[in-house]
Amino acid sequence: MSFQLIEYADASPEVRAVYDDIMATRRIDWVNNFWKALANHPQTLKRTWESLKQVMGPGQLDPLVKELIYVAVSVTNNCNYCIGSHGAAARKAGMDDAMLGELMAVVAMANETNRLAIGYQVPLDDVFKGAVMEHSGG
Amino acid sequence: MSFQLIEYADASPEVRAVYDDIMATRRIDWVNNFWKALANHPQTLKRTWESLKQVMGPGQLDPLVKELIYVAVSVTNNCNYCIGSHGAAARKAGMDDAMLGELMAVVAMANETNRLAIGYQVPLDDVFKGAVMEHSGG
Amino acid sequence: MSFQLIEYADASPEVRAVYDDIMATRRIDWVNNFWKALANHPQTLKRTWESLKQVMGPGQLDPLVKELIYVAVSVTNNCNYCIGSHGAAARKAGMDDAMLGELMAVVAMANETNRLAIGYQVPLDDVFKGAVMEHSGG
Amino acid sequence: MSFQLIEYADASPEVRAVYDDIMATRRIDWVNNFWKALANHPQTLKRTWESLKQVMGPGQLDPLVKELIYVAVSVTNNCNYCIGSHGAAARKAGMDDAMLGELMAVVAMANETNRLAIGYQVPLDDVFKGAVMEHSGG
Amino acid sequence: MSFQLIEYADASPEVRAVYDDIMATRRIDWVNNFWKALANHPQTLKRTWESLKQVMGPGQLDPLVKELIYVAVSVTNNCNYCIGSHGAAARKAGMDDAMLGELMAVVAMANETNRLAIGYQVPLDDVFKGAVMEHSGG
Amino acid sequence: MSFQLIEYADASPEVRAVYDDIMATRRIDWVNNFWKALANHPQTLKRTWESLKQVMGPGQLDPLVKELIYVAVSVTNNCNYCIGSHGAAARKAGMDDAMLGELMAVVAMANETNRLAIGYQVPLDDVFKGAVMEHSGG
């Protein structure tokens, strides 16, 4: 009764349609385990893929930058699978060893200063208010 | 006996030296509250500033990209001060509204798929191994 | 240049269409601040609303149960806005004071035992393997 | 000098008493590794078991609902042991594949919108205030 | 129908009994808001107080050390109330400004190196295995 | 192109200088994997080691206390490598089984009450204000 990784050969037509779109969009001929796991709940598979395709698709931020941000969040959340899969995507998008080193340094530094700001309960400078939202009640 | 924000006028010479370097490096004439709080422990003030100056300084990643990564981690960790201060730094480095919108979308999406990968306990595809570290025992 | 809460009167047609669907789906005549903030990035507004409508819509789990789960995650992540908004949704869906008290107790207990299992590095019992995924590589 | 999983045969009378109560309460003839690890600190074993027995015992929330909440927190905290053990408990309490799929979808969605609310620093709507606590200073 | 802070004058006999024990144990004549909030669910109030009294009571670790650990976790979890209440308890137990400065530095450093170890997916050295648990499958 | 653990024999002079200082400072003749991973980005290796040496060096807090705090944060963040390495360091600094048991109990309890304070949105008592920072805007 448990979930299994669902291979293309065993997939329903609606799951296969998502797999096909993943492969066509990424110009590859295989699907990674993440999607094979989500395929146990086809609604989640389809929605997550369509959301990811939109979010990681063309926009103002460079594809490499988006992957670096993805890795940064995944390291902070300790998601080993995501570090591996998005680390690979970042490599493919052009991340070299120097960039990877700097990425890790920034992520670690941010985690450090986040806790200093929280621990010291530092009040936000007036000049920083509104950098994200005007009149936020934060 | 508690900590207070330490203003330049009340600071010791070693704290003033750090404040001076912050202002010179950033070409501004004021110091934000984060540093005024750390000044209660001068060793932490000096070390943290020197680390941040190195990590956020010139390298392979663009200054704007580093600030976007900083905001991404701060949002994931829920550090309101850091979202405000690094959000402002990202604005200064060129983040426009479209970039901010995409940044938030990527951060949120990564937090979502991190939990799907964790919850489904997805095994890492062999092809992704070594994207970050060779032979990692992760 | 910063983001603001976007009111219906100031919204573009595509944003209004989402607001209209939110109000129609929830049978209310107002839109809460979360959506007014997302409206700064219409693509995120539309995608997030459609995803939420699907995820929280009719299924195998009772609407109240889904809201309790939402509050549980929001407490664990320390999202004050989300505790407030989904706490209200849970109240509307039938959560009484006794249920709220039990919800908080379970969430807190889970956070406690999570750290005991992590800290003691407890190996998973064979009998528990496959409860979520078969052959997971954890 | 390190900790080991403490088997019934090697356990002290006070540890055995807790093991006996676990088996009697759950109507099973074995004890899972979590308790065998805690048994290294008998005071923690006894207190944690008695707390868990109370929190997960009969009340206003259905046993299945409590297990779903437990899994939701464990996924958010990335506790692999707890996902396994409480996933198994949820299965035993009646969670079918459709429920598991919806549970994961809700947990992931909550983690996503938590970060959107935090990142956009959305101010809480007046109407949501007091949903959990009256006059909270949150 | 929402929760309120429950004052002694409005409390039931079972809640008063816990309040009395808190005041007697701590040798003070007032109860802090945390307990007045938990009093909305008397079972949780009683269980949490009795657990805390045991965990923070006399043992091998000094009371000040226990409070420092409590603050360290609270900063990492971003619990503003807990930083305030356990910061005050640490002050009462003897934490001076130099100790507070060092505590924050250690907490921040640990948060930084945690992410470096996670990001680089560093495999555990054989010599460190068994430091906590023998034969752990971690 | 990926990162590898960099052994002394393969290290550059600047990396060897850090390795030498680690071994001299700790009076051991080997370097653990954490540093061999960071050596892929020599700047991060040097900065992180120098920071750690300062933070964990002589001060007002006992070396054992600093290691206990390090483990507490690592358990809360679920960093398996760090629990192993700092657990070993704590053992070396004098942590016995009773202390380890109490440490885990305090960490787990703090994680529990952190969520109760967050979930109930408990307002901070006036008397606790200023325990860490005076006039904090928290």
Side-chain angles (χ1 to χ4, degrees):
Chain A
M1 198 176 77
S2 300
F3 284 1
Q4 300 190 343
L5 296 179
I6 295 181
E7 301 297 335
Y8 193 94
D10 306 317
S12 68
E14 71 179 310
V15 166
R16 282 190 183 186
V18 176
Y19 285 5
D20 287 337
D21 192 39
I22 292 172
M23 292 187 286
T25 303
R26 296 182 166 176
R27 299 180 192 187
I28 52 177
D29 62 357
W30 59 288
V31 169
N32 57 301
N33 288 343
F34 179 71
W35 307 109
K36 292 180 187 168
L38 295 198
N40 288 283
H41 198 244
Q43 194 187 53
T44 298
L45 172 70
K46 187 171 169 13
R47 179 177 45 77
T48 305
W49 164 247
E50 289 176 355
S51 292
L52 193 79
K53 189 162 79 163
Q54 185 195 85
V55 169
M56 300 303 278
Q60 291 302 304
L61 296 179
D62 187 79
L64 172 56
V65 172
K66 289 187 178 180
E67 289 296 347
L68 294 176
I69 293 167
Y70 226 105
V71 173
V73 171
S74 302
V75 170
T76 300
N77 282 334
N78 196 5
C79 178
N80 198 52
Y81 184 88
C82 314
I83 296 170
S85 62
H86 287 278
R91 288 290 196 189
K92 203 170 170 182
M95 178 180 72
D96 62 23
D97 280 359
M99 289 174 183
L100 174 55
E102 288 186 25
L103 169 65
M104 292 299 178
V106 175
V107 169
M109 192 78 211
N111 271 287
E112 181 175 37
T113 58
N114 279 190
R115 267 60 183 212
L116 287 170
I118 289 166
Y120 280 103
Q121 305 178 306
V122 186
L124 190 61
D125 308 73
D126 287 340
V127 74
F128 290 153
K129 287 175 183 164
V132 174
M133 288 284 291
E134 294 284 349
H135 313 299
S136 94
Chain B
M1 197 175 77
S2 299
F3 284 1
Q4 300 190 343
L5 296 179
I6 296 182
E7 301 297 334
Y8 193 91
D10 307 317
S12 68
E14 72 179 309
V15 166
R16 282 190 183 185
V18 176
Y19 284 6
D20 287 338
D21 193 40
I22 292 171
M23 292 188 286
T25 303
R26 295 183 166 175
R27 300 180 192 189
I28 52 177
D29 62 356
W30 59 287
V31 169
N32 57 301
N33 289 344
F34 179 70
W35 306 109
K36 291 180 189 169
L38 294 198
N40 287 282
H41 199 244
Q43 192 186 55
T44 298
L45 171 70
K46 185 170 168 16
R47 179 177 48 76
T48 305
W49 165 246
E50 289 176 356
S51 292
L52 193 80
K53 190 163 77 162
Q54 185 194 85
V55 169
M56 301 303 278
Q60 290 302 302
L61 296 179
D62 188 78
L64 171 58
V65 171
K66 289 188 178 179
E67 290 296 348
L68 294 174
I69 293 168
Y70 226 105
V71 173
V73 172
S74 302
V75 169
T76 300
N77 283 334
N78 196 5
C79 178
N80 198 51
Y81 183 87
C82 314
I83 296 170
S85 62
H86 286 278
R91 288 290 196 188
K92 203 170 171 182
M95 178 179 74
D96 62 23
D97 279 0
M99 289 174 182
L100 174 55
E102 288 187 25
L103 169 64
M104 293 298 180
V106 175
V107 169
M109 192 78 212
N111 271 288
E112 180 175 39
T113 60
N114 279 190
R115 268 61 183 211
L116 287 170
I118 289 167
Y120 279 104
Q121 305 177 306
V122 186
L124 190 62
D125 307 73
D126 287 340
V127 74
F128 290 153
K129 288 175 184 166
V132 173
M133 287 285 290
E134 294 284 348
H135 313 299
S136 96
Chain C
M1 198 175 75
S2 299
F3 283 1
Q4 300 190 343
L5 295 179
I6 295 181
E7 301 298 333
Y8 193 93
D10 306 316
S12 67
E14 71 180 310
V15 166
R16 282 190 184 186
V18 176
Y19 285 5
D20 286 338
D21 192 39
I22 292 172
M23 293 187 286
T25 302
R26 296 183 165 174
R27 298 179 193 189
I28 52 178
D29 62 357
W30 59 287
V31 169
N32 57 302
N33 288 345
F34 179 72
W35 307 109
K36 291 180 187 169
L38 294 198
N40 287 282
H41 199 244
Q43 193 187 52
T44 297
L45 172 70
K46 185 170 168 17
R47 178 178 47 76
T48 305
W49 164 246
E50 289 176 355
S51 292
L52 192 80
K53 188 163 78 161
Q54 185 194 85
V55 170
M56 300 303 279
Q60 290 303 303
L61 296 179
D62 188 78
L64 171 57
V65 172
K66 289 187 178 180
E67 291 296 348
L68 294 175
I69 293 168
Y70 226 105
V71 173
V73 172
S74 302
V75 169
T76 300
N77 282 333
N78 195 5
C79 179
N80 197 52
Y81 183 87
C82 314
I83 296 170
S85 62
H86 286 278
R91 288 289 197 189
K92 202 169 170 182
M95 179 179 71
D96 62 22
D97 280 359
M99 289 175 183
L100 174 56
E102 288 188 24
L103 169 64
M104 293 298 178
V106 175
V107 169
M109 192 77 213
N111 272 287
E112 180 175 38
T113 60
N114 279 190
R115 267 61 183 211
L116 287 170
I118 289 167
Y120 279 103
Q121 305 178 306
V122 186
L124 190 61
D125 307 73
D126 286 341
V127 74
F128 290 153
K129 288 175 183 166
V132 174
M133 288 284 290
E134 292 285 347
H135 312 299
S136 96
Chain D
M1 199 175 76
S2 299
F3 284 0
Q4 301 189 342
L5 297 179
I6 295 181
E7 301 297 334
Y8 192 93
D10 306 317
S12 67
E14 73 180 307
V15 166
R16 281 190 185 185
V18 176
Y19 285 6
D20 287 338
D21 193 39
I22 292 171
M23 291 188 286
T25 303
R26 296 183 165 175
R27 298 180 193 188
I28 52 178
D29 62 357
W30 59 288
V31 169
N32 57 302
N33 289 344
F34 179 71
W35 306 110
K36 292 180 188 170
L38 295 198
N40 287 282
H41 199 244
Q43 193 187 53
T44 298
L45 172 70
K46 186 169 166 22
R47 178 177 47 77
T48 305
W49 165 246
E50 288 176 356
S51 292
L52 193 80
K53 190 163 78 162
Q54 185 193 83
V55 170
M56 300 303 278
Q60 289 303 303
L61 296 179
D62 188 78
L64 172 56
V65 171
K66 289 187 178 181
E67 290 296 347
L68 295 175
I69 293 168
Y70 226 105
V71 173
V73 171
S74 302
V75 169
T76 300
N77 282 334
N78 196 5
C79 179
N80 198 52
Y81 184 87
C82 314
I83 295 170
S85 63
H86 286 277
R91 287 290 196 189
K92 203 169 170 183
M95 178 180 72
D96 62 23
D97 280 359
M99 289 174 183
L100 174 55
E102 288 187 24
L103 169 64
M104 293 299 179
V106 175
V107 169
M109 192 77 212
N111 271 286
E112 181 175 37
T113 59
N114 278 191
R115 268 61 184 212
L116 288 170
I118 289 167
Y120 280 103
Q121 306 177 304
V122 185
L124 191 61
D125 308 72
D126 286 340
V127 73
F128 291 153
K129 287 174 184 166
V132 174
M133 288 284 290
E134 293 286 347
H135 312 299
S136 95
Chain E
M1 199 177 76
S2 300
F3 284 1
Q4 301 189 343
L5 296 179
I6 296 181
E7 302 297 335
Y8 193 92
D10 307 318
S12 68
E14 72 180 310
V15 166
R16 282 189 184 187
V18 176
Y19 285 5
D20 287 338
D21 193 39
I22 292 171
M23 292 188 287
T25 303
R26 297 183 165 175
R27 298 180 193 188
I28 51 178
D29 63 356
W30 59 287
V31 169
N32 58 302
N33 288 344
F34 179 72
W35 307 109
K36 291 181 188 168
L38 295 198
N40 287 284
H41 198 245
Q43 194 187 53
T44 297
L45 172 70
K46 185 169 168 16
R47 180 177 45 76
T48 305
W49 164 246
E50 288 176 357
S51 292
L52 193 80
K53 188 163 78 162
Q54 186 194 82
V55 169
M56 300 303 278
Q60 290 302 303
L61 296 178
D62 188 78
L64 171 57
V65 172
K66 289 187 178 179
E67 290 296 347
L68 294 175
I69 293 167
Y70 226 105
V71 173
V73 172
S74 302
V75 170
T76 300
N77 282 335
N78 195 5
C79 178
N80 197 51
Y81 183 87
C82 314
I83 295 170
S85 62
H86 286 278
R91 288 290 196 189
K92 203 170 170 182
M95 179 179 72
D96 62 22
D97 280 0
M99 288 175 183
L100 174 56
E102 288 187 24
L103 169 65
M104 292 298 178
V106 175
V107 169
M109 191 78 212
N111 271 287
E112 180 175 38
T113 59
N114 279 191
R115 267 60 183 213
L116 287 170
I118 289 166
Y120 279 103
Q121 304 177 307
V122 186
L124 190 61
D125 307 72
D126 287 340
V127 74
F128 290 153
K129 288 175 182 164
V132 174
M133 287 285 290
E134 294 285 348
H135 313 299
S136 95
Chain F
M1 198 176 75
S2 299
F3 284 1
Q4 299 190 343
L5 296 179
I6 295 181
E7 300 298 334
Y8 192 92
D10 307 318
S12 68
E14 72 179 309
V15 166
R16 282 190 184 186
V18 176
Y19 285 5
D20 287 338
D21 192 41
I22 291 171
M23 292 187 286
T25 302
R26 296 183 166 175
R27 299 179 193 189
I28 52 177
D29 63 356
W30 59 287
V31 169
N32 58 301
N33 289 344
F34 179 71
W35 306 110
K36 292 180 187 168
L38 294 198
N40 288 282
H41 199 245
Q43 193 186 54
T44 298
L45 172 69
K46 187 170 165 23
R47 179 177 47 76
T48 305
W49 165 246
E50 289 176 356
S51 292
L52 193 80
K53 190 164 76 162
Q54 185 194 85
V55 170
M56 300 304 278
Q60 291 302 304
L61 296 179
D62 188 78
L64 172 57
V65 172
K66 288 187 178 180
E67 290 296 347
L68 294 175
I69 293 168
Y70 226 105
V71 173
V73 171
S74 302
V75 169
T76 300
N77 282 334
N78 195 5
C79 178
N80 198 51
Y81 183 86
C82 314
I83 296 170
S85 63
H86 286 278
R91 287 291 196 188
K92 204 170 170 181
M95 178 179 73
D96 63 23
D97 279 0
M99 289 174 182
L100 175 55
E102 288 187 25
L103 170 64
M104 293 298 178
V106 175
V107 169
M109 192 77 212
N111 271 287
E112 181 175 37
T113 58
N114 279 190
R115 268 60 183 212
L116 287 170
I118 289 167
Y120 279 104
Q121 306 178 304
V122 185
L124 191 61
D125 308 72
D126 287 340
V127 73
F128 290 154
K129 287 175 184 165
V132 173
M133 288 285 289
E134 293 286 346
H135 312 301
S136 96

